[in-house]
Amino acid sequence: MKFHILTLFPEMVLQGLHTSIIGRAAEKGLIGIDAVNIRDYTQERHGRVDDYPYGGGAGMLIQAQPVYDAYQAVAAGGKPRTVYMTPQGTPFTQKMAEELAKEEELVILCGHYEGIDERVLEEIVTDRVSIGDYVLTGGELPAMVLVDAVSRLVPGVLSNESSAETESFYNDLLEYPQYSRPEIWHEKKVPSVLLSGNHRDIAKWRLARSEERTAAVRPDLYAKYRQKQWTIARLSNRKREHIHMMELLRRGNGELLYGKGENVIAYERTGEICLMTAVSPQDGEKMVRFLGELNPRISWFVVCQEFLAKQLGEMFPLRACEPCIQACYTRREPLPVRHGDIRPLGEEALEYLCAHYCQEDSGATQEISLEDSREYLSERVRSGWMFGAYVEGKLAGFIGLHDEGSMGMLYVEETFRGRGLGAALESYLINRLRERDWTPFCQIYQDNSVSLALQEKLGLYLSGPVIRWLEVRDCHLEVCRFQADR
Ligand code: ADE
């Protein structure tokens, strides 16, 4: 992840960011921080960058020209995501940090004085972000806040990969209280459950404390959390059908857009995936209308009922995939992994992944499908959820998690088939998911008898053919992603 910070005070942001964890991440090359002095791009004599606002008013404005030229110098003809730090922006949240962490490059524009000429903002800015309802003297501190919050989500920046996942705001809860040695301090004892070694009890205790704390301090967040929990409970009435929606919400990867009993719309922001289930066609109609009004960006719908697919088809230009069967692993015990060398995949495996993930694509031109698949696979690798099986040190197959949480992309090289490598890869992934207390699931075409047999062999429960993926047609992806999973 590379940050380009456009500012009048580059030394201020560089000093602030080149210390501690973020500084070390920059040293290791996990992130890049480039501070560009807007003043270097002025065409005015004496390095002047500001002038009086038309119409009068207090203070000075930064002029359009030096900002635009500084931007052009870093954008190099492209259109990178460009965040303007301003108290008039959207409030910065952990969700926003998570979303920005997926970008490869970010331009951050810091204002000073009374702001920046609106015309250049209109041309270059993609997001306006505020760090709170108060006014600072400039955008440098807000930019540092944003860089810090985003950088610590970049894989490898925090030493403990899971720590970003248990802390405050993950899944709408504040973090539980923590204790370290000594066991007794000022006559206060560490809660005994934390000394018990029983990880399930510890997790339960922590969740209860998180809930208490959130309810007391942030009733707004707590209400959101409760509604999600309640919706998950309603969806569990038909668990095999709804496991994909339950897990999206449970893992904190999705937002609840609509939740009335078993009528639910959940949304996964990265893949722009909208997951829906409805009780009746009347409910479906209401929900489709609701979506039309809300108008979120959607590339895919995943629906559980045929009537929903039809209703959505009347509103959006869609291409439907065949219905899939959903399989989920609900047992407690880990599965035996009968292959010794399975490991997480890094960027170095990307060529291999692209070559084999794309090979069965059909439909759109090869060029588009390769480009989109590469971007998708690269994002999946960065998520840390792609795993490879190695035979004599060479990659022989892989499996991964899709962005909405299902297991997929399973591939084993022709020469290694029939040796249980596929089963080992899936068992490995199931175990990794179970360690997190997540329910592993996948979606399979009805005619994919090899995959269905594998799911049954591993002990997954199958639903009927219920899951329908619908691609929104005029969007960038022209290849049905599930064709690649066959
Ligand atoms: N610039 C000045 N105040 C700010 C704030 N609260 N958030 C973002 N940028 C700012």
Side-chain angles (χ1 to χ4, degrees):
M1 158 71 88
K2 175 105 195 187
F3 300 96
H4 304 275
I5 306 171
L6 311 186
T7 167
L8 290 174
F9 300 96
E11 67 289 351
M12 176 176 175
V13 287
L14 288 178
Q15 263 174 24
L17 291 169
H18 277 295
T19 39
S20 186
I21 296 174
I22 305 303
R24 280 198 295 279
E27 256 169 47
K28 281 194 216 155
L30 293 166
I31 56 168
I33 303 170
D34 161 34
V36 177
N37 194 340
I38 296 170
R39 203 178 295 282
D40 290 346
Y41 291 86
T42 182
Q43 291 167 2
E44 301 253 351
R45 278 191 297 154
H46 313 301
R48 191 169 164 183
V49 291
D50 59 333
D51 210 333
Y52 294 100
Y54 280 117
M60 306 289 269
L61 281 187
I62 302 182
Q63 293 165 288
Q65 175 271 318
V67 173
Y68 189 67
D69 289 357
Y71 166 82
Q72 289 291 3
V74 297
K79 264 225 150 262
R81 191 141 179 202
T82 301
V83 181
Y84 174 43
M85 306 310 303
T86 166
Q88 286 92 46
T90 311
F92 189 50
T93 58
Q94 188 65 23
K95 270 248 141 19
M96 216 186 267
E98 283 162 20
E99 201 215 322
L100 292 175
K102 290 174 184 143
E103 299 288 334
E104 272 171 29
E105 211 154 6
L106 266 188
V107 178
I108 304 172
L109 175 59
C110 308
H112 226 84
Y113 313 124
E114 285 307 304
I116 299 179
D117 191 310
E118 189 66 22
R119 292 166 296 183
V120 68
L121 300 178
E122 281 167 7
E123 285 204 16
I124 67 170
V125 168
T126 55
D127 306 73
R128 298 181 189 220
V129 175
S130 162
I131 62 159
D133 288 343
Y134 41 82
V135 182
L136 301 168
T137 53
E140 284 71 21
L141 283 170
M144 285 154 75
V145 167
L146 186 137
V147 171
D148 188 296
V150 172
S151 297
R152 60 194 292 293
L153 300 175
V154 171
V157 171
L158 295 186
S159 51
N160 180 354
E161 280 283 333
S162 66
S163 62
E165 245 177 42
T166 52
E167 66 203 3
S168 294
F169 304 115
Y170 176 71
N171 223 356
D172 300 323
L173 284 179
L174 301 182
E175 197 180 22
Y176 42 81
Q178 303 247 51
Y179 304 85
S180 181
R181 289 201 302 177
E183 231 176 277
I184 302 174
W185 182 82
H186 281 199
E187 290 169 33
K188 289 179 172 166
K189 280 194 75 177
V190 171
S192 55
V193 63
L194 300 179
L195 311 172
S196 69
N198 183 328
H199 292 289
R200 262 178 204 279
D201 284 355
I202 292 172
K204 244 191 190 158
W205 181 90
R206 286 179 164 165
L207 178 63
R209 299 295 81 73
S210 277
E211 288 177 344
E212 266 171 27
R213 209 173 238 197
T214 313
V217 181
R218 290 290 303 273
D220 56 325
L221 271 189
Y222 189 64
K224 235 168 112 185
Y225 167 78
R226 291 288 302 180
Q227 208 209 343
K228 239 188 212 179
Q229 296 309 306
W230 187 78
T231 301
I232 293 167
R234 297 303 298 265
L235 288 172
S236 72
N237 290 339
R238 281 180 290 153
K239 190 169 179 176
R240 288 183 205 180
E241 231 171 280
H242 290 151
I243 192 69
H244 60 312
M245 300 183 77
M246 293 167 62
E247 285 297 299
L248 185 83
L249 296 172
R250 241 165 53 82
R251 296 181 198 177
N253 294 339
E255 294 155 54
L256 189 60
L257 296 185
Y258 185 101
K260 293 205 167 108
E262 272 183 56
N263 297 299
V264 179
I265 308 176
Y267 183 63
E268 198 279 330
R269 200 168 278 281
T270 318
E272 299 172 349
I273 306 168
C274 188
L275 297 82
M276 298 175 72
T277 184
V279 176
S280 70
Q282 290 74 25
D283 293 315
E285 252 170 54
K286 263 193 233 161
M287 291 160 70
V288 172
R289 235 179 293 130
F290 169 85
L291 257 187
E293 278 165 30
L294 196 66
N295 198 22
R297 284 177 61 93
I298 298 172
S299 297
W300 298 90
F301 287 103
V302 185
V303 301
C304 299
Q305 292 82 19
E306 200 177 348
F307 63 77
L308 266 181
K310 278 213 186 96
Q311 290 167 336
L312 287 167
E314 285 161 18
M315 185 175 253
F316 299 90
L318 295 177
R319 193 171 76 169
C321 299
E322 295 157 43
C324 299
I325 286 170
Q326 194 145 247
C328 63
Y329 185 84
T330 52
R331 299 167 197 226
R332 280 261 168 95
E333 64 271 21
L335 287 167
V337 179
R338 299 192 208 284
H339 182 77
D341 198 359
I342 298 179
R343 307 176 229 151
L345 293 175
E347 290 282 335
E348 72 287 345
L350 200 56
E351 289 312 314
Y352 183 92
L353 293 175
C354 289
H356 298 293
Y357 182 62
C358 302
Q359 67 179 8
E360 274 144 32
D361 275 359
S362 58
T365 68
Q366 190 69 359
E367 226 170 359
I368 296 174
S369 78
L370 271 173
E371 186 60 22
D372 283 336
S373 298
R374 175 180 297 275
E375 202 177 299
Y376 182 64
L377 290 166
S378 168
E379 192 268 313
R380 291 292 81 210
V381 164
R382 276 182 274 126
S383 79
W385 283 104
M386 292 295 303
F387 301 96
Y390 290 78
V391 175
E392 289 165 9
K394 276 189 70 185
L395 200 49
F398 56 84
I399 195 166
L401 272 198
H402 281 299
D403 46 9
E404 88 312 338
S406 63
M407 301 185 290
M409 299 173 266
L410 180 59
Y411 169 80
V412 175
E413 237 170 72
E414 194 97 37
T415 42
F416 300 110
R417 288 185 194 162
R419 298 196 200 173
L421 228 57
L425 276 162
E426 186 169 333
S427 302
Y428 179 90
L429 182 53
I430 285 175
N431 294 347
R432 295 291 297 250
L433 291 161
R434 289 298 301 130
E435 281 165 18
R436 301 268 186 121
D437 215 18
W438 292 346
T439 302
F441 70 96
C442 56
Q443 295 163 351
I444 310 124
Y445 280 126
Q446 295 175 78
D447 61 358
N448 190 343
S449 51
V450 176
S451 179
L452 287 171
L454 175 63
Q455 308 316 319
E456 292 209 283
K457 184 177 132 194
L458 295 179
L460 285 85
Y461 291 108
L462 303 182
S463 72
V466 288
I467 304 299
R468 292 165 175 82
W469 277 76
L470 312 165
E471 184 197 356
V472 181
R473 256 198 163 256
D474 59 357
C475 159
H476 55 285
L477 270 180
E478 256 294 57
V479 176
C480 176
R481 205 174 54 171
F482 268 76
Q483 280 177 331
D485 277 351
R486 275 168 180 262

